[in-house]
Amino acid sequence: MIMIEPVPPFLIYLIGALLIPFLKGKTKKLCLLIIPIVAFIDLLHMHHGTYWTLHFMGYELIFGHVDKLSMIFAYVFVIMSFAGLLYALHVDDDLQHVAAVCYAGSSLGVVFAGDLFTLYAFWEFMAMASVFVIWADRSKRAIDAGFRYLMVHLFGGAVLLAGIVIYAMQTGSIAFGRLEGGGLGFWLILIGFILNAAVPPLHPWLPDAYPAASVTGAVFLTAYTTKTAVYTLLRAFPGVEILAYLGAIMTVYGVVWAIMENDMRRLLAYHIVSQVGYMVAGVGIGTELSMNGSASHAFCHILYKALLFMGAGAVIHSTGLRKMSDLTGRGLYKKMPFSLIFYMVGAFSISAVPLFNGFICKPMIVKAAEEAHRIPLFFLMHMASIGTWLCVGLKLPYYTWFGKAQPGVKEIEAKEPPLNMLLGMAFLSFLCIFMGIYPDILYRILSYPVYFHPYAPLHVIGTLQMLLMTVAGVWLLLERLEPQAVINLDTDWFYRKGAILFVKFCYGLSAVRTATQNLAIGLVDGVIKLSKNPIYAVQSLLSQKESGMPPYDPNTYRQAMGIGVIFSLILFCFICFIFFARLTQLIR
Amino acid sequence: MTLLKVLLFVSIVIVCFLSFLIHPEHEPHYIWEKIPVFEAIFGFVGCIVLIIFSKVLGHYFLEKQENYYDYD
């Protein structure tokens, strides 16, 4: 047996990313698929502990902080990158592949970072790589959304860095573990993390940017940024009370906005907000069950959410249409049945239908809230489960693939996407079902021992009741649910409209500056004119004539001036004479 | 569609009926654990509340034309 010495997994991705532009055709495709496979083998050989350390400016930077929690996230990140690259294999765009591989690699760097500085470095690297994944679509919408995304994340990164520096100064430690105290540094780091976890009101970058990315790029985006944030929250802020409430509100918030939404992938993006809410709430509740629930939900969520984006992406790839209002009633189910089936596997998973992987993880967090006597949290999350099923499981597939045929609207022209896209979806569908049937494979790798049985008969029956009655409710209100060709405002209104207001304010300031400058120029101009020819200037002022001032000619008034001067000199002499005469009288 | 409706109705009846037969493994702690069809009622009411709330919120406050953010 050959002993394999593990290397930092992000290095594998980085080297792979550097190789991609130099390879061609089949070799490039092979390389893309081999990167995650090599990384997975590498993970299998990593053991728990702390290694790959580097001394830098008196601090110890740790690139390998390996325990159960980091391994769960690393496994799913690597599996996800395989599925994503398989789905994107037909794309001939080096920028997109390199950005996606770097993005996956840097998220692995975050997961294994043992200190705050290393974490921050990979955090920013991830933001940069992901913005290129968005820009790789090259459409105006993607470029604009990418810039907004970058601004928000650079702001978040700056807050995080400020937090880290203050925390390091206060405690003298940069170790990345459970953070203590409640100082400014603690809270700034928390804000930096929850911005990436898309916690409202800091979330609108997500539904803004993800649907703007390309079909294949969006699949990567769904997995990494929010889930690395969940990982960092799990590691650093377990049991922080405010997270429990924020998370529970987040679950419902995402659902409510998703119900209004018309753009397929924007609807799904709001469900990322909703689903990450469960994980954040799980971190906030802070019991073993809830923490296990958060980690396992992150694992399952990455798989089914990528699958959902792949399904919606397949429709966009084939039809070029993103909005349900354009697709409804055009018989897409006849043209793309396989995409529908794979999409529905994802939809059943996210809705926690028994035998799919959402069923083995999400109820853990809801149950944990109930066991911890957090009744409002329990009901909020339970409510969000209904909303998830109604949007992702019923609304989106109904209006995309089916819908009432409108008179005069032609049946849609479409065909199934390329084989590699179907294979990517099939791979994730298999994992979703396999984990749903055999939950132990996930439960075994969780941080704490699992005493949760998803397939308790009453739980299965209760879930089925809820799901079926939701179908009945949707059926009753089907006409109200019809997607409209509108957009819905979110908290990004503040900075999108705010930015325009700010630009207008800047224009105003600029106008004040111009006015001041013109005034000063006018004054100087006047003084110049006055000094050029003072007499004529006064004349022109009196006669209100502006133009045609002749240059100063000393001979023009020489005689008049001379007489004046002589008279004044005579007057002066006369005054002097009287003055001296009076003076001599006084002295005498 | 009629067939689907019948199927849905029948399956709802079956799962609701089943919940009367199966008893919880542990003593019910909360009031809703004692109601056998609680999940069904919650699912139905919750679904309707969510749709109405969301549509009202959208219709009266948040809906805008698709070119709302366009600028030049």
Side-chain angles (χ1 to χ4, degrees), chain A residues 336-355:
Chain A
M336 300 180 71
F338 286 112
S339 302
L340 173 62
I341 291 168
F342 292 137
Y343 174 87
M344 284 316 291
V345 172
F348 286 145
S349 300
I350 196 175
S351 313
V353 174
L355 302 180

Side-chain angles (χ1 to χ4, degrees), chain A residues 435-474:
Chain A
M435 286 171 63
I437 295 169
Y438 183 55
D440 272 349
I441 197 166
L442 178 62
Y443 290 173
R444 264 204 305 246
I445 60 168
L446 291 176
S447 303
Y448 306 102
V450 179
Y451 305 106
F452 176 73
H453 304 289
Y455 289 104
L458 214 58
H459 181 216
V460 177
I461 298 282
T463 308
L464 289 177
Q465 280 182 10
M466 191 195 82
L467 295 171
L468 288 170
M469 286 308 280
T470 305
V471 179
V474 169

Side-chain angles (χ1 to χ4, degrees), chain A residues 87-88 90-91 96 133-139 141-143 145 203-222 254 257-274 301 304-325 327 343 350 391-392 395-397 399-401 421 425 483:
Chain A
Y87 185 78
H90 65 285
V91 176
Q96 193 170 321
V133 174
I134 299 167
W135 280 337
D137 189 53
R138 296 182 177 84
S139 62
R141 184 184 174 193
I143 290 167
H203 71 289
W205 57 268
L206 195 158
D208 182 24
Y210 286 10
S214 68
V215 165
T216 50
V219 172
F220 283 95
L221 293 168
T222 60
W257 259 255
I259 294 174
M260 300 176 217
E261 197 46 59
N262 184 23
D263 185 315
M264 279 188 287
R265 289 190 301 172
R266 208 168 140 86
L267 183 151
L268 293 174
Y270 273 116
H271 273 285
I272 300 179
V273 174
S274 172
H301 170 85
Y304 61 65
K305 183 55 78 177
L307 179 55
L308 291 169
F309 263 75
M310 286 176 176
V315 174
I316 297 170
H317 178 89
S318 297
T319 64
L321 300 172
R322 293 156 176 249
K323 287 179 278 183
M324 283 177 269
S325 55
L327 287 159
Y343 174 87
I350 196 175
C391 283
V392 182
K395 177 186 167 181
L396 196 152
Y399 288 108
T400 304
W401 274 273
M421 286 171 81
M425 290 191 266

Side-chain angles (χ1 to χ4, degrees), chain A residues 67-249:
Chain A
D67 61 3
K68 277 190 148 179
L69 185 63
S70 46
M71 284 311 276
I72 300 167
F73 281 85
Y75 278 131
V76 72
F77 284 170
V78 170
I79 293 170
M80 171 57 223
S81 68
F82 178 78
L85 288 168
L86 179 60
Y87 185 78
L89 216 55
H90 65 285
V91 176
D92 183 26
D93 178 11
D94 284 348
L95 172 68
Q96 193 170 321
H97 289 313
V98 170
V101 170
C102 283
Y103 184 30
S106 51
S107 73
L108 285 168
V110 171
V111 162
F112 290 122
D115 67 282
L116 290 166
F117 287 161
T118 313
L119 177 102
Y120 174 74
F122 281 115
W123 194 264
E124 288 294 339
F125 188 27
M126 204 167 70
M128 291 313 294
S130 56
V131 83
F132 277 97
V133 174
I134 299 167
W135 280 337
D137 189 53
R138 296 182 177 84
S139 62
K140 184 179 182 309
R141 184 184 174 193
I143 290 167
D144 287 358
F147 269 112
R148 289 193 290 271
Y149 174 91
L150 188 62
M151 297 284 225
V152 172
H153 281 276
L154 289 184
F155 169 75
V159 172
L160 178 64
L161 181 62
I164 289 172
V165 170
I166 294 170
Y167 185 81
M169 287 293 157
Q170 278 174 346
T171 61
S173 151
I174 59 160
F176 180 50
R178 185 175 182 155
L179 300 186
E180 298 297 339
L184 183 62
F186 176 90
W187 290 110
L188 287 179
I189 293 174
L190 183 66
I191 291 171
F193 287 167
I194 64 173
L195 187 138
N196 265 30
V199 175
L202 304 173
H203 71 289
W205 57 268
L206 195 158
D208 182 24
Y210 286 10
S214 68
V215 165
T216 50
V219 172
F220 283 95
L221 293 168
T222 60
Y224 296 107
T225 302
T226 46
K227 260 57 78 186
T228 43
V230 169
Y231 162 78
T232 53
L233 288 174
L234 270 169
R235 166 119 21 237
F237 298 103
V240 172
E241 189 62 18
I242 190 168
L243 290 178
Y245 294 102
L246 282 175
I249 292 166

